[in-house]
Amino acid sequence: MVMRHVAVIGHPIGQSKSPALHTRWIKAHGVEADYTAIDGKDEDSFRELIRTLPEKGYAGVNVTIPFKQLAFELCDERTERAESVGTANLLVFHDGKVIGDNTDIAGFRAALSSMALDPAPRTARIIGAGGAAPAIIVALKESGLERIEITNRTASKAIELAERFEIKPIGWAARDTKLGEIDLLINTTSLGMEGQPPLDMFVGSLPPHAAVIDIITTPRETDLLLGARERGQKTMNGLPMLVHQAVPSFEAWFGIRPDDEPAAIEFLEGLK
């Protein structure tokens, strides 16, 4: 049986838990494959990787920050889900073509559903306009939210997404104002990630029922989540989304769909 290679590409990439997750599934299902992390370094390096990895026996890759939009642009074919957001976090190499998909939409919806929020959120504020932000916007719209706001350090990026998806942009300086009107606060930036500056944001004015999600996975509890939890807010880190978006990736490469999401999340929570 031919060994198949898969990987996750991003920068920085050392904090990624995807190799541990997929290696767990590879062993559980007896697949002849390996899953590694590759530092994309910069856009030129990423382009070269996508050109050369298929020649080295790679079945495909996951893509994380900051290359999801570039991955989309490099695809020969794209699924409707990828087209709907303009980013790709899953690439499949098949018959000399690069096929792009977006599993972040379904991943975030499943993670949000697992929180069982009551009352169901009607308003949300998204921090950050890159990476997974477009997919999360689509997921929130599909979940029936009535108002979605977005803010970003580079205002033009927030405005671009706001116009594209018909949501409301707000200035970075106003990111922690009028939080009393927000049911769901979501950080999609790298601020707070291990090795990165913290997200400077005060969440004390959130209503008691509001929930806070930080899609960062390392550390498991960022300062944002810690502050929210200490105030009694429901919180969730990025591990549930990571697991739920990884399931269709594994299935796309190997034809096997893992169905142990709760156990997989618990496994990742236990990693150092």
Side-chain angles (χ1 to χ4, degrees):
M1 187 176 292
V2 177
M3 172 71 76
R4 286 170 286 181
H5 307 294
V6 284
V8 58
I9 306 176
H11 182 75
I13 200 61
Q15 81 290 341
S16 176
K17 290 181 170 55
S18 290
L21 173 63
H22 283 277
T23 298
R24 180 178 185 271
W25 286 337
I26 286 169
K27 292 178 179 178
H29 294 282
V31 179
E32 287 291 326
D34 57 23
Y35 188 110
T36 57
I38 301 174
D39 195 323
K41 296 182 181 178
D42 54 36
E43 291 192 355
D44 288 340
S45 297
F46 182 81
R47 288 189 180 92
E48 182 67 9
L49 285 167
I50 301 308
R51 187 184 69 81
T52 59
L53 288 180
E55 302 169 358
K56 298 177 180 179
Y58 278 75
V61 295
N62 285 130
V63 181
T64 188
I65 56 173
F67 300 121
K68 292 183 181 183
Q69 184 172 346
L70 179 56
F72 175 86
E73 295 169 1
L74 295 176
C75 292
D76 299 302
E77 298 178 6
R78 309 177 185 94
T79 65
E80 290 184 8
R81 300 296 274 176
E83 291 282 4
S84 72
V85 292
T87 61
N89 71 307
L90 166 61
L91 302 181
V92 177
F93 305 144
H94 183 68
D95 287 343
K97 293 183 178 180
V98 178
I99 303 167
D101 196 2
N102 190 298
T103 65
D104 281 338
I105 303 170
F108 184 81
R109 285 198 67 178
L112 180 61
S113 178
S114 72
M115 294 186 79
L117 298 177
D118 186 18
R122 302 173 69 180
T123 63
R125 181 172 298 174
I126 298 172
I127 312 299
I136 289 175
I137 293 170
V138 172
L140 292 174
K141 281 179 164 282
E142 290 180 351
S143 299
L145 271 74
E146 297 174 359
R147 190 175 87 247
I148 302 169
E149 301 174 351
I150 187 167
T151 184
N152 191 61
R153 286 170 290 180
T154 303
S156 60
K157 292 184 178 180
I159 293 170
E160 178 185 350
L161 286 185
E163 292 177 347
R164 180 177 166 198
F165 292 106
E166 297 181 334
I167 62 176
K168 181 181 179 182
I170 62 172
W172 183 249
R175 62 189 178 279
D176 52 9
T177 63
K178 297 185 178 179
L179 286 178
E181 305 170 5
I182 299 299
D183 301 323
L184 190 59
L185 180 68
I186 308 158
N187 177 41
T188 73
T189 74
S190 61
L191 294 174
M193 182 186 293
E194 192 171 279
Q196 301 293 318
L199 172 61
D200 181 17
M201 187 164 182
F202 177 68
V203 298
S205 58
L206 281 169
H209 70 270
V212 179
I213 299 174
D214 194 327
I215 68 168
I216 288 171
T217 61
T218 306
R220 289 190 293 276
E221 187 170 59
T222 60
D223 289 346
L224 175 67
L225 293 182
L226 178 61
R229 182 172 60 80
E230 288 178 343
R231 291 175 175 82
Q233 249 76 47
K234 280 192 174 183
T235 63
M236 183 173 67
N237 62 24
L239 293 179
M241 180 180 175
L242 172 66
V243 170
H244 288 295
Q245 65 81 26
V247 168
S249 295
F250 194 88
E251 183 178 26
W253 297 321
F254 306 122
I256 300 169
R257 188 174 183 88
D259 61 356
D260 65 339
E261 289 95 329
I265 294 168
E266 185 176 353
F267 165 73
L268 293 181
E269 289 279 8
L271 296 179
K272 292 182 179 179

